[in-house]
Amino acid sequence: MTENNRGAAANEDTAVTELSQILTLLEAFAFSVDLAYAVEPAASSQFQEDESASAPFQIGQFVGYCLLQAADAARSISRVARDGEGNLNLPIISMYPLARGLIECAATAIWAMSPADQRSRVLRRLQFAADELSHDAKLYKSMAIAFPPSQAQDILRATTQKRRDARAALRRIADAHEIALDQFENSCPGWETIVQLAGDQIPQMMTGALPSMWRLASGLSHPSSSRGRDTLDFTEIRETDGVLSGTYSVRVSNIAGVLAMAEWASRHALELWIGSKNPQP
């Protein structure tokens, strides 16, 4: 074994220890989300004021859902990474899509809550809600194909009316805050921007760390042999006529790095949500 190989092996051993600690932190985060749901917001809290200003697309409830989904991803990561006896048993890829979802949930929560002024928080909520309505329209249209034509038309009519009502509610909220239609319709930032903006709000996190780990997790959420070769460990078994045969295994330092950033972002998002329930000075 070369010195470089010894160093790499030592780094991976350290990463295994760090990963075990991160999984414990993710489990603690998920439990803390459960506890946070039981905390009633104070009447004078930002949470309550934002609820009134953004109903029926309440900011606080939206962030709460983001954290609920983040907690589910955190628990799922821990269950995937450990066997029935609690020992690490790491898949090569499947933790990355879960980590991506966890980062996106946490980043969305931070992005939605981070503006200092209420109007900006309402604007971001409207942008996200409008984007959800556009997605839902495409979803229902594609799913309607599975039903007989008459039933499909009934489904589309009902869902279209539901979206019209929702868009009318969005416009009422926008008018109350002097937000123009073109500021929230078709103007929701993409995931990369949301993750970048959220990462910038996390104290002491290195600039670009969260979007970098999100890109790594996102890239491995889709099939790519080049990304697999770059981020997984390959153990050669044999070479026949210039063709290598072997096995892939997870490079623990990579998934540990991704999950460390995901846990940090999730914890910060939860702290913001809990803080929003406290009385304002």
Side-chain angles (χ1 to χ4, degrees):
M1 179 182 287
T2 66
E3 288 300 321
N4 285 340
N5 286 340
R6 288 193 186 95
N11 288 338
E12 287 298 286
D13 288 342
T14 300
V16 168
T17 301
E18 292 175 348
L19 178 59
S20 294
Q21 295 169 345
I22 294 165
L23 292 173
T24 299
L25 290 173
L26 286 172
E27 292 166 356
F29 159 74
F31 181 70
S32 296
V33 171
D34 294 341
L35 295 179
Y37 260 88
V39 177
E40 291 293 332
S44 61
S45 64
Q46 176 185 301
F47 185 105
Q48 288 289 56
E49 291 184 0
D50 283 355
E51 295 295 89
S52 299
S54 56
F57 293 92
Q58 294 93 332
I59 296 169
Q61 292 185 37
F62 169 66
V63 171
Y65 176 79
C66 291
L67 290 169
L68 177 68
Q69 191 165 324
D72 182 70
R75 286 192 176 98
S76 298
I77 289 167
S78 181
R79 289 167 184 167
V80 166
R82 289 176 168 146
D83 61 22
E85 298 178 354
N87 300 313
L88 288 181
N89 185 21
L90 305 177
I92 61 172
I93 291 294
S94 60
M95 285 192 294
Y96 285 103
L98 289 168
R100 175 192 178 183
L102 178 54
I103 291 173
E104 290 176 356
C105 289
T108 302
I110 295 169
W111 172 79
M113 289 187 291
S114 59
D117 64 291
Q118 186 181 78
R119 182 183 182 278
S120 295
R121 294 194 296 273
V122 170
L123 172 60
R124 290 186 175 185
R125 180 66 188 104
L126 297 182
Q127 288 174 331
F128 205 92
D131 187 69
E132 288 179 302
L133 290 174
S134 296
H135 173 85
D136 290 349
K138 297 173 184 176
L139 173 64
Y140 288 125
K141 186 175 181 180
S142 64
M143 291 179 64
I145 298 173
F147 295 91
S150 61
Q151 189 176 355
Q153 288 302 314
D154 291 341
I155 293 171
L156 291 175
R157 275 194 295 270
T159 55
T160 298
Q161 185 59 51
K162 183 178 178 181
R163 287 195 304 276
R164 285 174 180 164
D165 294 342
R167 291 189 188 281
L170 290 178
R171 293 188 183 100
R172 287 195 297 271
I173 299 168
D175 289 343
H177 294 274
E178 298 182 347
I179 296 172
L181 184 65
D182 60 2
Q183 289 182 281
F184 70 91
E185 286 276 7
N186 302 313
S187 61
C188 186
W191 285 117
E192 184 171 357
T193 299
I194 289 175
V195 172
Q196 176 70 64
L197 291 172
D200 291 344
Q201 296 297 318
I202 301 175
Q204 300 181 333
M205 181 176 283
M206 183 183 297
T207 301
L210 190 62
S212 294
M213 294 298 99
W214 171 79
R215 289 189 192 97
L216 177 57
S218 181
L220 289 170
S221 298
H222 309 283
S224 170
S225 58
S226 63
R227 287 190 289 269
R229 286 193 302 269
D230 289 342
T231 55
L232 300 173
D233 282 331
F234 180 77
T235 302
E236 181 181 341
I237 296 176
R238 63 181 176 274
E239 180 179 353
T240 305
D241 297 329
V243 178
L244 289 176
S245 297
T247 60
Y248 278 121
S249 59
V250 66
R251 191 173 301 163
V252 182
S253 55
N254 283 339
I255 189 61
V258 170
L259 292 179
M261 292 298 104
E263 188 277 331
W264 192 350
S266 300
R267 184 162 25 94
H268 183 66
L270 180 58
E271 289 169 355
L272 287 178
W273 193 56
I274 293 173
S276 75
K277 295 185 176 187
N278 296 330
Q280 296 188 87

